[in-house]
Structures are given as C-alpha cells and as structure tokens.
Amino acid sequence: MLFFSFFKTLVDQEVVVELKNDIEIKGVLKSVDQYLNLKLDNISCTNETKYPHLTSVKNLFIRGSTVRYVRINPNAVDCTLLQDASRREAMQAAK
Amino acid sequence: MSETDSNVEDLYLESYAFTTAAAIVGSVDRKIFVLLRDGRNLFGVLRTFDQFANLVLQDTIERIYLGSEGSDDLSKPERFGEAYRGVFMVRGENVVMMGEVDIDHEDEHLEVLSQIPFEVAEKELKSIHKQKMKFEKAKTKKLLSKGLINDFAKSDLY
Amino acid sequence: MLPLYILTSAKNQPILVELKNGETLNGLLTNCDSWMNLTLSEVIQTSPNGEDFLKIPEIYIRGNHIKYLRLPEQTMDQAKEQNLINMEQRNKNQRRRGNNNGNYNNNGNFNRRRNDNNQSNRRNFNNRRFNNNNNTE
C-alpha cells in the first residue's frame, strides 16, 4: 500500500521507467494501481528502438511485474514523509 | 436531477481512478498494440477487458520485427513479417505493455522496413530465441558458480 | 461485456488455446468457468516447436496456464447479440418489478460508458473510435 500511495503522489510527474528487458521509457505518470501497474502519457523511448511502433504510441499501460526501475525527479520526493510512512507500516506489520 | 447524478458519478470516478480498469477503459474501441511476455507484438481493436487486464482484441494482426539479414540483433529492426489473427483473447498476466496506436501514424515506421513472409520471420525469431536460451543458460551457470543470480525467466522473451 | 462473458458465449465453437509453455491446443470449447479453466473436445495438441502432434478426445486446461486464446470471427457479433437479448429480457423484468431506485452506476459495470453521447474529457479527440460494424482499415 505504501508504494501505491507514493506513486499516487507522483501523478503528473515525468518519470523514466526501465523494464526488465533493459528498455527505458520516458513519460508522464498518469495512473497507478495496487499492483503498481503504470499508465504513462506522452511517451518516448530513451534508449533503443527495439519497438519501432512505439513512435506512433502516445499512452502506455505497463504491467508492474515487468518494471525494474522507475526513475523519479528527486524534487518530487519528500524523503522525510516517506521515512515516517515506512516507520508506520513497519510498526503495523510488527503488530 | 442531472447535476446530482454527475456529482455522484464524479465521486465514483475519483474512487475508481487508481485501478487497473480505470487505466484501460479509455482505450476501448481503439486500435492498440500489446506486447506479450513471449515477445509477440499484437495490433488490434480493444473490444473489452476486465480487472485482471484480460483483453479481447478484434481484427488482430501479429507482427514480428527482425534485424538485418543474418544478424540476431533485435534492437535495430530492418525487416518485419505480419499475420492476420482475428479475435484474440489475451490473459492479463502475459501482457508486458499495451498502448493506443495513433492510426494516422501507425504505418510510418514500416516504410523504412522491408516486409518478409510471416513464416520466415517466425522461423528466424524461433532460432534467435533458442540461441538466447542457450546463452542465458550458460550465463546463469557461470554466475551461479560465482555465487550470483542471473535474473532470467524462460518465458520472458520480450 | 467482460472477456469471460465472451468466452462463455463461444461454447461449442472451435477455439485455439496457446499455453504459457508455447503448446497450442485446437478444439471445440465445451465448458469454461470464472477462472478461465476450460474443457475442450476433439483436440489437436501441438508441441511448442510445432513438430509433434497429439489427438486428444477431451482435455481440461487450467486457466492460469493459458497465454492467450483465439476465437472465431463471429464470436464478437454473437456475444453482442446474446447480450442485447439478455438486456432486453432484463429490462422487461425490471419494468414489471419497478425500476431500481438510485441506480447511479449502471449495475456497477465499469466497462460500459455511462454517457455514450458525451465525450468525456479523458478521451483524446484525435483518436478515432471503431464501430463494431465498420472495418478498421
């Protein structure tokens, strides 16, 4: 739940998603769900052109299980808030 | 009366905004592409879906992109092969990504590629996959002997 | 109309199932359930490398093993017809019993668009919608 809420705070931010097959996709995060599936708008492939048809694609739905990294702008993240939230989650889990 | 209806609908939309279904519903009756975990590229009209992201596509074509003749480098496609598939129902867990295709520009990237018969493309892709499996198997063995794990799944060829 | 509904309406039709391991099964769909478990009859099983074949009179497939299914072209139209007939029946019964009060969200079916005539501001105006009756090309 924590990362689901975290991603919700990142909606409308530009992110770069790196998939497990090394493909990187830059886009604006539009939606996320409980499985951390991502919906990106205005996408562009930043490294390879393994998928040439992506040039005519504007929106992408990416299955969470295929994501390796999500690169975020550091200014978009409030680390102290994250730390507090993690602490709360850990305490809840310990109960 | 219509105002209260739309207010309630907005509430529903807000609470459903962050769900799998909400992310997909906008693509219904549009042409989309789907990348499957086994590396297949499907292009079709999304007719229906459910909360697991199971998809039903109509008028689907399957396309295989290949590099130049003799190379097994899939990252710089030069050729492609197409096959018409009809109605496709894809189980959600096999989807890597899907997106709406802009039909005004969808064939632009094909103009610089040469088309080859689908069966030929399929055969070549199969042999490329076979080689990859061999390579990854050897890699896994080698890394394991050093105490490291190679994150490779047999079914993930995308 | 959910995918599983369309699958149910495809009973007794020929169907092609590809499993996660690449095996394909061609046969008639006899039954299916909400987990996508299927039973097929008169099945031809093809190995992943496309070389070995087996003829099986009846087979049960566990839903979580399926990669995808290919259905005959007329499945969509048939399913839509069935759906229309069922809806008409339902409306008739509803009218007889008196309409549901406060039915805000169309039986909670998120699939169906509520205002078919209005363009929701989520939609991209440049993208065209494909009507079931028209060809996509």
Side-chain angles (χ1 to χ4, degrees):
Chain A
M1 275 310 288
L2 199 165
F3 280 101
F4 177 31
S5 311
F6 171 60
F7 274 120
K8 279 197 273 190
T9 68
L10 291 178
V11 167
D12 286 330
Q13 294 278 344
E14 189 169 77
V15 297
V16 181
V17 178
E18 180 172 324
L19 299 180
K20 288 185 180 167
N21 65 350
D22 300 335
I23 301 295
E24 291 177 36
I25 301 174
K26 175 159 66 175
V28 177
L29 182 67
K30 272 313 189 181
S31 175
V32 67
D33 65 11
Q34 50 169 324
Y35 307 110
L36 304 187
N37 298 328
L38 307 168
K39 176 119 190 267
L40 302 178
D41 264 9
N42 243 319
I43 49 154
S44 58
C45 242
T46 61
N47 57 355
E48 291 167 35
T49 51
K50 188 170 178 185
Y51 305 119
H53 50 282
L54 282 187
T55 52
S56 54
V57 173
K58 290 289 168 283
N59 315 317
L60 259 195
F61 167 87
I62 304 180
R63 201 162 175 88
S65 60
T66 62
V67 171
R68 188 186 287 144
Y69 303 126
V70 178
R71 293 206 185 81
I72 323 165
N73 181 355
N75 306 326
V77 180
D78 183 353
C79 288
T80 43
L81 216 63
L82 266 183
Q83 279 182 327
D84 285 340
S86 333
R87 224 166 277 139
R88 258 178 278 137
E89 286 263 331
M91 291 206 296
Q92 279 213 347
K95 271 195 217 140
Chain B
M1 160 101 164
S2 56
E3 214 189 70
T4 47
D5 270 356
S6 65
N7 285 343
V8 172
E9 282 191 354
D10 283 340
L11 279 176
Y12 268 107
L13 276 176
E14 270 177 44
S15 55
Y16 286 126
F18 294 106
T19 56
T20 321
I24 305 181
V25 70
S27 303
V28 171
D29 287 335
R30 293 208 177 131
K31 185 143 194 206
I32 61 164
F33 92 95
V34 182
L35 174 65
L36 297 186
R37 298 233 314 247
D38 64 353
R40 266 183 250 246
N41 285 303
L42 301 174
F43 295 78
V45 180
L46 177 67
R47 283 301 176 202
T48 169
F49 69 96
D50 62 16
Q51 71 269 35
F52 306 115
N54 296 328
L55 313 166
V56 174
L57 304 175
Q58 202 172 22
D59 291 331
T60 324
I61 56 163
E62 179 182 333
R63 201 178 289 147
I64 296 179
Y65 294 98
L66 289 172
S68 55
E69 187 122 27
S71 99
D72 55 357
D73 182 11
L74 294 175
S75 58
K76 290 178 186 64
E78 287 185 20
R79 301 167 296 155
F80 74 97
E82 275 190 359
Y84 180 80
R85 296 302 191 199
V87 176
F88 235 96
M89 180 184 305
V90 183
R91 209 175 142 87
E93 52 183 322
N94 300 292
V95 172
V96 172
M97 53 184 180
M98 53 171 265
E100 286 174 32
V101 174
D102 185 352
I103 49 178
D104 295 325
H105 301 292
E106 61 164 328
D107 289 331
E108 278 175 3
H109 69 281
L110 294 176
E111 289 165 17
V112 295
L113 309 175
S114 56
Q115 183 161 16
I116 55 175
F118 185 77
E119 296 77 24
V120 175
E122 201 174 13
K123 228 176 180 176
E124 207 175 317
L125 190 68
K126 267 198 171 141
S127 69
I128 291 178
H129 284 327
K130 228 174 167 180
Q131 279 191 331
K132 186 170 187 195
M133 298 277 264
K134 246 176 152 181
F135 170 75
E136 292 288 342
K137 223 174 168 183
K139 188 175 170 189
T140 312
K141 217 174 172 187
K142 195 74 200 272
L143 283 174
L144 212 56
S145 68
K146 311 266 185 207
L148 300 168
I149 298 283
N150 184 21
D151 188 15
F152 177 70
K154 266 206 302 199
S155 51
D156 287 344
L157 299 162
Y158 59 95
Chain C
M1 264 194 327
L2 301 178
L4 285 172
Y5 180 87
I6 296 185
L7 188 60
T8 321
S9 68
K11 276 193 200 173
N12 299 322
Q13 306 252 3
I15 188 177
L16 189 165
V17 184
E18 179 156 331
L19 302 182
K20 289 201 180 138
N21 61 5
E23 275 176 19
T24 60
L25 293 134
N26 263 290
L28 294 172
L29 177 69
T30 46
N31 221 330
C32 63
D33 65 15
S34 54
W35 294 284
M36 223 188 266
N37 299 329
L38 315 170
T39 52
L40 306 181
S41 64
E42 295 307 310
V43 182
I44 301 178
Q45 173 178 345
T46 314
S47 65
N49 59 11
E51 276 161 32
D52 304 313
F53 303 90
L54 259 177
K55 197 151 180 228
I56 308 170
E58 209 176 338
I59 199 171
Y60 167 80
I61 303 172
R62 205 145 198 284
N64 65 358
H65 253 76
I66 297 175
K67 189 192 293 177
Y68 64 76
L69 314 158
R70 279 179 58 191
L71 306 165
E73 293 279 345
Q74 60 270 41
T75 321
M76 290 295 314
D77 304 319
Q78 279 180 356
K80 293 235 150 122
E81 269 180 46
Q82 260 306 106
N83 198 29
L84 275 172
I85 299 174
N86 292 347
M87 293 294 288
E88 276 163 31
Q89 277 286 39
R90 228 174 291 163
N91 285 339
K92 245 189 259 167
N93 294 341
Q94 262 188 16
R95 255 175 258 140
R96 256 185 256 144
R97 291 196 216 122
N99 286 335
N100 293 352
N101 292 328
N103 187 7
Y104 291 117
N105 64 343
N106 283 346
N107 304 324
N109 187 350
F110 199 71
N111 244 342
R112 244 181 293 148
R113 274 162 277 150
R114 294 186 199 97
N115 301 317
D116 282 352
N117 297 325
N118 301 347
Q119 290 275 353
S120 145
N121 46 6
R122 269 187 277 131
R123 283 181 218 159
N124 185 353
F125 282 84
N126 292 331
N127 231 317
R128 288 178 225 136
R129 301 227 156 218
F130 295 100
N131 202 305
N132 218 345
N133 298 323
N134 301 339
N135 285 341
T136 57
E137 286 307 327

